[in-house]
Amino acid sequence: MITGNIFHHRKNSWPPEDYVSRNTLQLFDFDSAAPPKHAWRRRLNSHANILKEFSVTFMEAIKMVRLGIRLWSYVREEASHGRKAPIDPFTRESCKPSASQGVPLGGMGSGSISRGFRGEFRQWQIVPGTCNTSPVMANQFSIFISRDGGKKKYASVLAPGQHEGLGNASDEGISSWGWNLNGQHSTYHALFPRAWTIYDGEPDPDLKVSCRQISPFIPHNYRDSSLPTAVFVYTLVNTGKERAKVSLLFSWANSIGGISHLSGDHVNEPFIGEDGVSGVLLHHKTANGNPPVTFAVAASETQNVNVTVLPCFGLTDGSFITAKKMWGKMMEDGQFDRENFNCGPSMPSSPGETLCAAVSASAWVEPSGKCTIAFSLAWSSPKIKFLKGSSYHRRYTKFYGTSERAAQELVHDALTNYKCWEEEIEKWQSPILEDKKLPEWYKFTLFNELYFLVAGGTVWIDSSLPSSDVKNDQDPPVKVERKDVEVTEVGVSFRHSTVFEHTSTSCSNGSAGVGIKQNGDSTIPRKKRTSKQFSNHLKSQDQLDGDEDVGRFLYLEGVEYIMWCTYDVHFYASFALLELFPKIELNIQRDFAKAVLSEDGRKVKFLAEGNYGIRKARGAVPHDLGTHDPWNELNAYNIHDTSKWKDLNPKFVLQVYRDFAATGDMAFGIDVWPAVRTAMEYMEQFDRDDDGLIENDGFPDQTYDAWTVHGVSAYCGCLWLAALQSAAAMAQQVGDKFFAETCKSKFFSAKIAFEKKLWNGSYFNYDSGSSSNSKSIQADQLAGQWYTLSSGLAPLFDEFKTRSALQKIYDFNVMKVEGGRMGAVNGMHPNGKVDESCMQSREIWTGVTYAVAANMLLAGMEEEAFTTAEGIFIAGWSEEGFGYWFQTPEGWTIDGHFRSLIYMRPLAIWSMQWALSIPKAILEAPKINMMDRILISPATFSLSLPETGVRKIANKAGCFGNSALQCAC
């Protein structure tokens, strides 16, 4: 817990008054129009500098030359089949990355569109695994103001006119529009999932404009959080002496980014809907056989607001109505003709032609008067199709059906429900934002890092079954055996330690018939709830939802590393899902549990060494759920043979136990226990000297996949110790008491060996080898302890060793790099020089830094923790930093060069919040004493004893609950 107000000596405040005049803020002090007290802020005229990508050193290039050649060959081979390789460092986007990102649009898993802080719509991810980074500049909000009988007129696109490629103002395209906004008096305020843009007298000095962007990202709401829609609420305040006619224009191109607008056969269609919601549908025929998409742009007509549309206009001279003519019409009339609603569907566009639409909403604003105008955007792409696999229906189709025309219903519901969404968002965020003990940068960065759950290529499907009307003519899925399972266990209820028995029999598409009644207080008065209490209340609400099928969920390792649910990285990021959408988190673990018990014998070439192996070994946790056929073709990663990695299996055990302890879901625990035990048994082969401790094999066999490890390593060894402890605790709770005793015995001998081989008096050495970096200080050396404490288990090491190691990391890895203003460098020599033995040892990894900070919080080192994490904010998010906001990379070098933008691991900032408010279920969970009576001799111990493994617990043919576990025994 935070103790005292230890941050008051720092200036870490960005009050809205520094960006917007107090008078304007007071004018907007109603209906959520004013920007929040805590937010990430920028002026619209801020320069969006080009970001600097990392480069390897000469020596690193020499070491990786063979890998580079093999990878180049593999990238070309995949391209010849029309596929993108999951890792492709050779292809570069035409649009160079810049410091221009902002809060993305929409909920999770239905495709995403990002919006830059200056207003441009960019970073298009409608097709899974595909990201078109360039902005579509025809997509804009514009304003037209007329005063004094038309004698005073203002017209401008509501984005600064600093963009390349606009062309000559005499053209018929968008360059003819009024790009008049300077941006000096306009500001952007981001607090995901909302953002505010305040135009403080631009372009009309006497009109104050607030635009509030709202997306339905609502924790524990598994319906609305899946919707592909967003709302833009404009609040207008007239400070002039005369009434003003104000027209807002929302223009949109029939495009999914890139050059998709030129492919042809696109159709636009106006509509008038219920409750005054009117607009245009833009039917997009997607290229390359991908499922079609329909956009809806709409506004809400009220007694004071008049909505008109222009269903079609083009960007070239040959268009019937050009962008220039459209702009002229708005300049003259401030609206379009009502007859346009009767046009019906347009003729399909020709190849090379850009088809656009516009929606206008106009209103009179009296002197000192206020007016609200609301727009909505939705995109409906009900099917997703993977290049080598089946098609699926997205999650939102469960509520809106499988027609692309659902976009019209989506904009309607968004415009009628957004106020309820905002109420729920504020309930969720307020306890943290109002906590005066937390530093301000942390409060808004905590929420803003969640952008990745929308913009990280997320896919959320309705069920595990493929879309029935799409034939899968690709390779058949891997065949594995199934077994029925009947489990009879003895467990302990978390509230009063009452012994109970239960029997569960389940099938692949049903949930286990186990119900756990928890006695807990879920009626805490709202006004008195603390951050911790609110978190627990939301968890109880999740449990009250019962056995709701929330579908299956995927998210990318990063937009440059196109692999779904990369597990060694999910280890860090999963705290966010567990805290906010625990049912999704449990389903991801079920997917991996199923994978542990399966095998795929197809041959794969591993590019690091050029050797061959099988795609997936039974008992090994896969690196990822695939790329082009997720869930069916696992392990898209092919640099190393990850069946020999030493971190994946322990990470699976640690995550499963944490999730099991946090949710108290015994049915989940029973479902996945056979996979947990199998994963532990698999690791037995890596204990070469029978000391209970696994050894690394002289190659980068863990998440740091360019950083070689020899012998026992601090990172993997610590994870293994923690996995033994977690497996023992879980085994005890699900009734596998023999395995609990064997894990405890193993832990006892392994801990002695670990400390003997690696502890040097102040920290744990990188590894037990004799290389030049074996004594390096690794920032992530206590990752296992981080998880055990996060799961309510006892610490692995005594307080002296823990605090000493963390203090060493803080003094060296953090403070010796730009005075702690960049985060924690992965490796540091004990002489204070950065470990440059490889590319990754010299990098600062954002997610690892957040994890180290969480570890410090758990050790009671609050000031060191927030100073460590603040380095990521300073370097990545602050105005003086490198410009990585809303695209936080995997890491950067000490000179600020990034690697892999929009990356999963920085979600680990939520592990800090987890450490600050450990869930009640974990605090009250049964504890296990690893040092109590041991029934098995360590000398004769083996994790995989005959007839005492998974087969004895799962002794009948079948499957495991919702996870549909398939056994390849």
Side-chain angles (χ1 to χ4, degrees):
M1 297 296 175
I2 295 296
T3 55
N5 297 321
I6 62 176
F7 304 100
H8 285 176
H9 66 282
R10 294 187 196 150
K11 186 180 185 317
N12 268 328
S13 179
W14 297 266
E17 294 84 356
D18 288 356
Y19 293 79
V20 184
S21 69
R22 288 182 180 273
N23 181 55
T24 299
L25 290 173
Q26 291 173 356
L27 292 172
F28 287 136
D29 191 20
F30 73 101
D31 195 30
S32 301
K37 181 179 179 181
H38 306 287
W40 179 90
R41 313 184 199 277
R42 283 296 178 277
R43 299 190 186 281
L44 264 60
N45 65 346
S46 299
H47 177 61
N49 57 289
I50 300 298
L51 306 180
K52 298 177 181 179
E53 191 167 5
F54 87 104
S55 59
V56 297
T57 66
F58 177 75
M59 290 304 299
E60 289 167 352
I62 292 297
K63 291 179 182 178
M64 293 191 290
V65 64
R66 292 181 180 177
L67 168 61
I69 293 171
R70 296 186 192 107
L71 183 56
W72 167 250
S73 176
Y74 174 69
V75 168
R76 292 183 63 187
E77 179 185 356
E78 286 294 285
S80 71
H81 296 291
R83 301 190 294 262
K84 183 173 175 61
I87 301 175
D88 179 6
F90 309 106
T91 304
R92 289 290 177 267
E93 294 284 346
S94 57
C95 178
K96 293 183 178 180
S98 63
S100 56
Q101 299 286 20
V103 174
L105 306 174
M108 301 187 297
S110 295
S112 71
I113 306 165
S114 290
R115 195 172 184 221
F117 73 88
R118 297 185 301 182
E120 69 275 15
F121 295 85
R122 58 192 311 134
Q123 209 78 30
W124 299 72
Q125 298 185 76
I126 305 298
V127 177
T130 301
C131 182
N132 291 307
T133 59
S134 300
V136 176
M137 295 305 297
N139 298 350
Q140 297 290 345
F141 284 101
S142 303
I143 194 167
F144 303 83
I145 306 159
S146 176
R147 293 180 182 272
D148 195 17
K151 294 179 181 178
K152 287 184 184 178
K153 285 194 174 184
Y154 303 89
S156 181
V157 177
L158 288 175
Q162 306 167 356
H163 303 279
E164 298 178 4
L166 286 179
N168 194 304
S170 62
D171 293 344
E172 293 294 317
I174 62 173
S175 57
S176 63
W177 296 355
W179 298 87
N180 304 318
L181 196 76
N182 175 274
Q184 181 179 357
H185 301 293
S186 300
T187 52
Y188 182 82
H189 311 256
L191 185 64
F192 179 89
R194 297 189 292 173
W196 290 254
T197 306
I198 306 298
Y199 306 92
D200 195 357
E202 288 189 278
D204 180 350
D206 292 326
L207 186 71
K208 312 298 183 182
V209 180
S210 166
C211 173
R212 191 165 82 257
Q213 173 187 310
I214 308 151
S215 291
F217 182 97
I218 306 165
H220 306 269
N221 183 331
Y222 296 90
R223 181 190 187 279
D224 292 355
S225 295
S226 72
L227 304 184
T229 186
V231 176
F232 306 90
V233 181
Y234 280 85
T235 302
L236 314 173
V237 180
N238 183 2
T239 59
K241 296 180 180 180
E242 58 223 348
R243 69 195 305 240
K245 182 181 180 182
V246 182
S247 298
L248 287 164
L249 178 76
F250 190 11
S251 55
W252 197 259
N254 198 322
S255 169
I256 59 170
I259 59 172
S260 60
H261 53 288
L262 302 176
S263 58
D265 285 334
H266 310 314
V267 173
N268 290 358
E269 176 186 2
F271 71 89
I272 298 177
E274 297 178 353
D275 301 315
V277 175
S278 304
V280 181
L281 297 174
L282 298 89
H283 307 289
H284 185 88
K285 185 177 181 181
T286 312
N288 301 321
N290 284 305
V293 184
T294 292
F295 292 93
V297 287
S300 205
E301 188 163 86
T302 67
Q303 184 176 355
N304 301 321
V305 178
N306 179 47
V307 176
T308 56
V309 300
L310 182 63
C312 298
F313 70 90
L315 305 181
T316 57
D317 291 341
S319 305
F320 178 69
I321 299 177
T322 64
K324 186 174 184 178
K325 289 180 180 178
M326 182 275 292
W327 189 266
K329 173 70 171 175
M330 287 298 299
M331 285 278 292
E332 183 176 349
D333 299 335
Q335 61 187 34
F336 301 115
D337 298 332
R338 292 290 299 183
E339 292 77 14
N340 290 346
F341 280 114
N342 302 321
C343 291
S346 68
M347 293 292 293
S349 63
S350 301
E353 176 188 8
T354 302
L355 192 62
C356 303
V359 176
S360 167
S362 57
W364 284 97
V365 187
E366 300 297 327
S368 302
K370 300 175 181 179
C371 180
T372 298
I373 297 176
F375 292 88
S376 182
L377 167 70
W379 52 99
S380 179
S381 180
K383 290 178 187 173
I384 53 174
K385 181 180 180 183
F386 295 102
L387 287 177
K388 292 171 68 177
S390 301
S391 293
Y392 301 89
H393 285 128
R394 295 189 191 268
R395 165 74 174 169
Y396 78 91
T397 63
K398 182 181 180 75
F399 317 106
Y400 284 86
T402 57
S403 168
E404 292 83 20
R405 299 186 69 88
Q408 181 175 335
E409 295 178 57
L410 284 162
V411 289
H412 170 271
D413 291 355
L415 287 168
T416 54
N417 293 332
Y418 74 85
K419 291 184 179 180
C420 295
W421 294 344
E422 289 194 284
E423 288 179 7
E424 292 302 311
I425 291 167
E426 288 171 7
K427 285 181 190 176
W428 158 46
Q429 295 183 335
S430 292
I432 294 172
L433 297 176
E434 294 170 4
D435 189 340
K436 296 180 180 179
K437 296 176 183 177
L438 297 173
E440 184 176 354
W441 68 264
Y442 170 80
K443 296 177 186 180
F444 57 77
T445 306
L446 177 73
F447 294 111
N448 285 337
E449 287 285 18
L450 290 171
Y451 84 92
F452 188 83
L453 290 177
V454 172
T458 52
V459 169
W460 194 355
I461 65 168
D462 179 25
S463 72
S464 60
L465 299 177
S467 174
S468 59
D469 56 343
V470 178
K471 182 179 179 181
N472 178 8
D473 56 2
Q474 304 295 334
D475 295 335
V478 183
K479 292 183 178 179
V480 290
E481 299 177 14
R482 285 190 179 178
K483 294 188 175 182
D484 284 329
V485 177
E486 183 175 276
V487 185
T488 301
E489 300 295 354
V490 176
V492 182
S493 73
F494 293 141
R495 183 67 176 170
H496 297 299
S497 301
T498 304
V499 177
F500 63 90
E501 293 188 1
H502 56 83
T503 301
S504 144
T505 304
S506 56
C507 61
S508 61
N509 60 353
S511 60
V514 179
I516 306 298
K517 182 177 180 181
Q518 294 190 347
N519 298 318
D521 181 11
S522 62
T523 60
I524 303 167
R526 287 181 181 173
K527 63 181 180 180
K528 294 183 179 179
R529 274 187 207 139
T530 65
S531 172
K532 175 182 171 182
Q533 289 169 330
F534 188 77
S535 171
N536 290 327
H537 173 75
L538 288 178
K539 285 184 173 62
S540 69
Q541 289 302 112
D542 246 306
Q543 293 163 353
L544 289 174
D545 289 339
D547 294 329
E548 176 195 3
D549 177 13
V550 300
R552 302 175 85 179
F553 189 86
L554 299 169
Y555 65 148
L556 291 174
E557 178 178 339
V559 297
E560 297 177 37
Y561 296 161
I562 309 171
M563 294 164 284
W564 300 110
C565 295
T566 299
Y567 201 71
D568 55 307
V569 185
H570 180 67
F571 176 73
Y572 298 84
S574 58
F575 283 89
L577 283 174
L578 180 58
E579 176 71 28
L580 306 176
F581 298 95
K583 290 185 177 181
I584 289 177
E585 165 64 10
L586 294 188
N587 279 358
I588 291 175
Q589 301 300 352
R590 287 186 174 100
D591 283 335
F592 277 91
K594 172 185 174 181
V596 168
L597 300 177
S598 69
E599 182 169 297
D600 185 343
R602 287 176 288 184
K603 295 295 182 182
V604 174
K605 182 177 182 179
F606 300 112
L607 304 180
E609 300 296 334
N611 58 317
Y612 286 84
I614 65 171
R615 177 174 289 277
K616 167 67 178 66
R618 185 186 186 279
V621 173
H623 172 274
D624 54 80
L625 292 178
T627 291
H628 299 305
D629 192 6
W631 298 299
N632 297 316
E633 187 178 88
L634 309 175
N635 281 334
Y637 178 91
N638 61 350
I639 304 298
H640 299 289
D641 181 355
T642 59
S643 69
K644 298 177 180 177
W645 277 20
K646 310 307 183 294
D647 63 336
L648 289 169
N649 282 40
K651 285 176 175 177
F652 171 69
V653 176
L654 291 172
Q655 288 181 73
V656 164
Y657 180 74
R658 178 204 57 190
D659 298 354
F660 173 63
T663 62
D665 190 334
M666 185 60 72
F668 165 75
I670 292 168
D671 269 359
V672 300
W673 174 246
V676 170
R677 180 157 180 174
T678 299
M680 292 296 291
E681 292 172 347
Y682 182 86
M683 296 300 291
E684 185 94 336
Q685 63 184 300
F686 302 121
D687 179 7
R688 316 291 187 192
D689 53 6
D690 294 325
D691 62 354
L693 194 59
I694 60 172
E695 286 85 38
N696 294 83
D697 284 330
F699 75 100
D701 49 357
Q702 24 78 42
T703 193
Y704 300 90
D705 59 350
W707 199 356
T708 299
V709 195
H710 299 275
V712 174
S713 71
Y715 183 66
C716 295
C718 188
L719 290 172
W720 175 242
L721 289 178
L724 286 168
Q725 188 181 39
S726 296
M730 189 169 182
Q732 183 169 285
Q733 292 181 54
V734 301
D736 193 347
K737 295 182 179 179
F738 183 85
F739 196 74
E741 292 298 324
T742 55
C743 286
K744 288 163 65 175
S745 176
K746 194 81 164 179
F747 175 86
F748 183 78
S749 58
K751 183 175 183 292
I752 293 172
F754 182 84
E755 293 185 350
K756 180 180 179 181
K757 293 180 179 181
L758 295 179
W759 180 250
N760 62 21
S762 61
Y763 65 94
F764 294 101
N765 290 335
Y766 176 68
D767 64 29
S768 63
S770 56
S771 63
S772 61
N773 69 325
S774 287
K775 289 182 168 44
S776 284
I777 307 161
Q778 184 179 13
D780 215 0
Q781 62 184 267
L782 293 180
Q785 169 119 329
W786 167 47
Y787 251 75
T788 58
L789 295 181
S790 296
S791 304
L793 297 173
L796 300 176
F797 312 109
D798 60 56
E799 184 179 357
F800 170 77
K801 288 186 177 69
T802 298
R803 292 184 69 95
S804 175
L806 290 173
Q807 190 65 49
K808 194 76 172 184
I809 293 165
Y810 178 76
D811 291 341
F812 280 70
N813 301 60
V814 177
M815 298 308 294
K816 288 187 181 297
V817 180
E818 298 296 325
R821 299 173 67 81
M822 294 193 71
V825 69
N826 283 336
M828 178 72 79
H829 289 296
N831 63 3
K833 293 184 178 180
V834 173
D835 182 346
E836 297 187 348
S837 56
C838 73
M839 172 183 72
Q840 292 173 341
S841 63
R842 62 184 172 90
E843 288 180 327
I844 295 157
W845 283 10
T846 52
V848 167
T849 297
Y850 287 141
V852 170
N855 220 340
M856 291 173 175
L857 287 173
L858 292 165
M861 301 169 64
E862 293 96 345
E863 185 160 8
E864 292 88 346
F866 281 104
T867 300
T868 296
E870 187 180 12
I872 301 302
F873 168 76
I874 293 172
W877 288 80
S878 73
E879 288 192 77
E880 62 194 84
F882 302 114
Y884 297 133
W885 46 80
F886 299 102
Q887 53 188 333
T888 317
E890 158 76 306
W892 49 67
T893 56
I894 57 175
D895 56 3
H897 290 207
F898 75 88
R899 182 168 62 81
S900 187
L901 292 172
I902 311 181
Y903 196 78
M904 181 197 294
R905 204 182 319 248
L907 284 170
I909 193 173
W910 277 85
S911 69
M912 295 179 65
Q913 190 60 27
W914 188 269
L916 291 169
S917 55
I918 297 291
K920 184 178 180 181
I922 282 182
L923 294 175
E924 296 183 353
K927 302 297 186 286
I928 182 170
N929 184 354
M930 296 299 290
M931 307 308 290
D932 67 3
R933 184 167 58 98
I934 296 174
L935 305 178
I936 302 170
S937 167
T940 60
F941 170 81
S942 174
L943 284 175
S944 48
L945 295 174
E947 288 306 314
T948 59
V950 175
R951 295 177 182 82
K952 188 171 181 180
I953 295 179
N955 56 4
K956 286 189 178 181
C959 47
F960 297 81
N962 288 333
S963 57
L965 288 175
Q966 297 173 323
C967 301
C969 299

